[in-house]
């Protein structure tokens, strides 16, 4: 199905940018999971805010309301439904999207896909706003994982080619991870972060936008998670990550750089670290044969520059089939990357929770 | 489910490297699809052969037998089951894999996942041999697509950093695509291909291995294919691609390089080409918002160096939890990339066929 | 998944009797389907009202609010989410259900299933109220079917052994079907209906309850709908019907009575009716081998007596593991059958719509 | 999907009566389950044999071959594929089925469904022979259940209205259940069984056939199995049962008779039996609200008379759209009910195993 994901629970997201609300249903969750609305709220706030200066001025509070599935602060085991009502809508801003394609956006492809019946206002179901339900579920998953000693953290690895310092995220302690998440612009090096921020501000001044790379790691996952072939840990996680608007690439471990190594360099040799099986390097990103090996799961995600830019652009009117020029109105982020960081973390948390719930399936 | 994929049909693959056979079931295929066993056989042969000199000497004929679902040369609409019987097995070669982890392989993670019950011989269900059923299905899909004017072709983009010439695959004509597929080492530039081949031979002589990048494009796809959010074209295709052993990265269009562009550079401006909507650039790889826009779908896949190398490697015995040294025996490819090319094409063909079968779902 | 159903669209229902609201998400609907809120409202009203005199006094208006997926009165093709907010709640009435099992209800089995975390108030997710989202979706499906010449109608076949007149529902014209649906107590014979009504009133006076049989038919369905084996039309429809609280039996065509016939009696002989293939009898209920044959699809559903009765009953306290006595408080129907009629119709409509959307899958 | 079933494992069956073979793939089974080929063989033999005198003479040995997923006698956790090769085929017998519809069979509906591409020989994928893969999987499930103290047994409750003695199947001890399964004509009363057998023989002599009712119970299931709404235990089991050819009705507990009771009669009052929660009656068939309550799960299945009878029958030629007369050739059972008994047991075992594997999903 299109807007659903998960095997051991199932998240379905719904909503359009200008419909009554957006939200989700999480079906098949175990009963008795604490629902920490504060933790979820903090994660939603990170998604909503982004870089204060360069992000779009549209700032909805994103207050989720639980419709069902929570009783006495814990999941009931029956579908957990939640909604974030839409407010602050300026539908008029988007009226031209009914027929003029914003380059890099889904206006045209969505028009064809839905025969013109889709709600084009604000991008409709394609709006980045639809990541909020994912973050709600991701926040719930992240809290659940924390209680099991599993941590998820992401950083901005680069903006428009400007790189953060070269340190593996998986070497961070839990306190450092928490500090990273508290940053409005989450880089390891604050100095590098400042350079990136300035680059984004310059793009904004130039009526342009920039993208970047987000790096994420999951620590504390046991070995043995993942299913063979189409159910590989990478398969499920990449599927989630490519559902995030603007993501155009996903790589695990050394990723594309591993193609420049030889086998003897790329292979992660195993050794015993006391009672633990570990690898000396982690070029495979904690996954062998689609199944976790107990090392940190590491991956990177390419986020394209925000396609909404204030410059005039050439395009087409897809109702009249004529060339057209377009200036995208409304308020838009010059750099969506900081807001995408908690979304990427949410994908990681959801994937890890799903596999942990599935367990190893061994007959005893 | 683990070993199944697809929405509008469903492919389930089965088998272990040393079980009675490997194969698959394709459920929910439309009735009346011609099953061209010759075309499927050619695709299987490309996967089986690889680079003649550097690939492993184990060469099973990979003759599939249809068990059900085909009548008078066409699909019946009920499950199409096929099997490729395993022969030429030297199980003794692999006996040490029962407890010693080959670095870069799934021996250890698989042992944990399945509690030691998995068939470790020859990698079992994790064997690259399990790509043969995917190629069978991919060959069927590719033939079906050809009849609809959709072409799929892939090339070796690089081996260990040595790049093929810089020409977009999507500019090839159908004849050039056919010629590319006929090459044992499918690069656009034969000279560059020779350099890559030599690099792989050098690795082999050094008891080592190399990986590379495969580039693939799908031409002729209509706009409007893909589902929103978790059903994005990229989501489904990446899920398939990461199920291929050794794949560590997937990127669409400009991929990771798009993060170094500004929005005004990255946005693919639309224009009318006669009656057709097209884009001047294709940095988004033919996909906007998870839905095809009518331009060629382009993507690249990172394939790591074959982890099976003849050098001694440090590792662990995961039954005794002690350090160990390992020399991988058996016959192995020094470079798996050429054999992975038809597998990548198969993934693309299966994904395209699934979305085409699903159609646009518009109420008329 | 637990609370989801459908192949070519997917309905997920959520909610508990006393949560903030109940509702559903319908994913993967075609774009452009008119959403007739009046027709849906009428169907919901039939479910809400039941027999005025004997049904429970709790009468919530069941006003659904669309949260997403509808634009300009038609489906957008992205998830259609709706909610019916709960009001008029007397949670105190149900406090004893936290530990005392109502016979015939899911209090005990639900307690075990969810480890005590479920919302027990008013039956929680097991409440008959959860059929409202099914009826919402069923109303939408029924309207869609009408536009394609497919009609669905059900009647009360019997109450506590009192039978309606012996006439096949499939012989009704469309006007007669509409008239049947307008009845508060939908029987073909008003006289028989009166007897049934009186029987229910007598049960109520006796602090007891009664059940009955609902008969339903779908007319106008083309031949060729249904999938083989586990996807049989009967399989999918029975799955839906057994999800309706209180249903304990489902039979198609002649049902259990067919076991008393010989093959020569039971077989429905085919004949040409002008250009149409028809059968002279319809003991198979319009389905052969799990696939419709173009005759009316007919089936019957056994609805048990409402388990909530005002008499004292012996039971257990499942928290203290002791015997207990219980008097069920609150307002309850003495006969749920009339309210179940539109629910059964909804199941039929949803199943028919799903199979029609799936189509025949023939390669052309 | 059409030919697949299961949530916590997934069974896909394939094959046509006259294809190379029939079989199945069971995906997502836990690793380490013993595969007792003898027990499976016995179950397959019960299905294959039926009543020696009245069943069709076609008796294939139904020897399954494991293709994958079993290693050292236990499941590997990766897909278990098996095949039963078809032999003894007289395709010529069935050539007229290409265009003449056997009444009560799927020849016509299947022709429409598959546009004429289906393999009509011997009923193709609609053949009762396709229950063999279900029985293979059911035999595996039954063995697994036995090891957990769960027993499944079925009997012939009636043939053409002749009833077996009126004793609840759930009162049988394990030895009695084993003795029942060893009978070629499994009734509780041998005298009643003889009457039924004679009735079937009389039908055969009359070139006719008879059907009957099969009763089944599952004992030893814990309380708390089943999912809410569409995942009810009854929903999943009925879906399986209606996939068995010739099944036209399914009822749980008192079934349709419960509609003649009042609530005070139908409600199963709970009591403590030492530490156990039990009910004094079992009109709900061990299921409340779709979830097991710890009492035996009991249900009955209506099996129609074998539609293949040797008498001339009126029908149509669906290729020429003309009336026709047909005499069904080949060898057919006059009473399929005995052979359906292990199929019904298999459905019960598969459903019970699936829910047991899923467990209760409570967060600890």
């Amino acid at each position: 199905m299109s807007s659903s994901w998960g095997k051991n629970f199932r998240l379905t997201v719904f909503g359009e940018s200008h419909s009554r609300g957006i939200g989700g249903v999480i079906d098949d969750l175990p009963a008795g999971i604490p629902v920490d609305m504060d933790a979820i709220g903090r994660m939603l706030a990170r998604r909503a805010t982004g870089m204060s200066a360069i992000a779009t001025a549209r700032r909805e509070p994103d207050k989720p309301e639980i419709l069902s599935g929570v009783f006495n602060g814990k999941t009931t085991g029956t579908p957990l439904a939640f909604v974030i009502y839409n407010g602050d809508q300026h539908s008029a801003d988007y009226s031209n999207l009914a027929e003029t394609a914003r380059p890099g956006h889904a206006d045209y492809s969505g028009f064809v896909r839905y025969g013109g019946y889709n709600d084009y206002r604000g991008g409709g179901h394609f709006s980045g706003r639809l990541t909020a339900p994912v973050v709600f579920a991701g926040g719930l998953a992240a809290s659940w994982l924390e209680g099991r000693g599993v941590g998820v953290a992401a950083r901005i690895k680069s903006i428009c080619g400007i790189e953060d310092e070269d340190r593996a995220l998986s070497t961070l302690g839990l306190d450092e991870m928490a500090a990273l998440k508290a940053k409005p612009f989450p880089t390891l090096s604050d100095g590098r972060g400042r350079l990136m921020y300035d680059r984004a501000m310059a793009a904004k001044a130039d009526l342009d936008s920039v993208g970047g790379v987000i790096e994420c790691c999951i620590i504390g996952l046991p070995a043995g998670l993942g299913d063979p072939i189409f159910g590989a840990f990478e398969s499920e996680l990449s599927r989630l990550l490519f559902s995030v608007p603007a993501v155009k690439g996903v790589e695990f471990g050394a990723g594309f750089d591993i193609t420049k190594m030889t086998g003897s360099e790329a292979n992660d040799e195993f050794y015993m670290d006391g009672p633990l099986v570990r690898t000396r390097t982690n070029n495979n990103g904690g996954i062998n044969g689609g199944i976790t090996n107990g090392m940190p799961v590491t991956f990177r995600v390419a986020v394209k520059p925000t396609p909404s830019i204030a410059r005039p652009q050439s395009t087409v009117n897809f109702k009249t089939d004529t060339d057209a020029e377009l200036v995208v109105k409304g308020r838009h982020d010059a750099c969506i990357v900081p807001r995408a960081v908690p979304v990427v973390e949410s994908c990681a948390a959801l994937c890890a929770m799903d596999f942990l719930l599935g367990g190893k399936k061994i007959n005893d």
Side-chain angles (χ1 to χ4, degrees), chain A residues 35-80:
Chain A
V35 179
D36 183 342
M37 293 300 283
D38 290 337
I40 292 170
R42 282 192 297 274
M43 199 116 163
L44 283 169
R46 289 168 64 206
R47 193 209 72 88
T49 309
M51 287 164 65
S52 52
I54 56 175
T56 157
R58 183 190 186 198
R59 285 293 163 261
E60 304 188 3
D62 280 352
K63 283 277 182 200
E65 179 176 17
I66 301 284
L67 295 175
S68 69
V70 180
F71 185 50
N72 294 331
K74 293 185 174 171
T75 56
T76 58
T78 54
L80 192 169

Side-chain angles (χ1 to χ4, degrees), chain A residues 131-143:
Chain A
T131 56
V134 176
V135 171
F136 178 100
L140 189 148
S143 294

